[in-house]
């Protein structure tokens, strides 16, 4: 990946492919920012406060993003 704008565009595209899986459980997510190789998201709906949220972020969202964008170091949930 070349610059942040390209990376952010790719991140948003990948997140759109993940959303239908979250919708099935009444959840959603919102992209917040990409900074220092970390993706910041906000889990919404039933995903907010769910006991499985960390697993979803680590094993689902992060792993999916990392496959396409190897420089990503992690995904951080920005709870309100």
């Amino acid at each position: 990946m070349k610059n942040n704008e390209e990376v952010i565009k790719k991140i948003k595209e990948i997140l759109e492919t993940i959303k239908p899986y979250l919708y099935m459980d009444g959840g959603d997510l919102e992209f917040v920012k990409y900074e220092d190789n970390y993706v910041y998201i906000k889990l919404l709906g039933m995903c907010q406060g769910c006991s499985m949220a960390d697993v979803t972020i680590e094993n689902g969202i992060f792993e999916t993003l990392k496959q396409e964008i190897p420089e990503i170091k992690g995904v951080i949930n920005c709870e309100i």
Side-chain angles (χ1 to χ4, degrees), residues 43 45-58 77 79:
L43 289 177
M46 297 301 288
C47 289
Q48 215 171 12
C50 173
S51 61
M52 296 299 290
D54 291 339
V55 174
T56 298
I57 289 170
E58 196 61 35
N77 184 19
E79 290 284 345

Side-chain angles (χ1 to χ4, degrees), residues 42-78:
K42 191 182 303 178
L43 289 177
L44 305 168
M46 297 301 288
C47 289
Q48 215 171 12
C50 173
S51 61
M52 296 299 290
D54 291 339
V55 174
T56 298
I57 289 170
E58 196 61 35
N59 295 339
I61 300 168
F62 174 61
E63 288 301 321
T64 302
L65 287 167
K66 186 118 177 103
Q67 287 175 4
E68 298 281 333
I69 311 166
E71 62 264 32
I72 289 178
K73 294 179 183 174
V75 175
I76 297 170
N77 184 19
C78 303

Side-chain angles (χ1 to χ4, degrees), residues 4 33-40 71-74:
N4 259 10
K33 66 180 178 177
Y34 176 66
E35 186 175 270
D36 299 325
N37 293 343
Y38 285 89
V39 177
Y40 293 80
E71 62 264 32
I72 289 178
K73 294 179 183 174

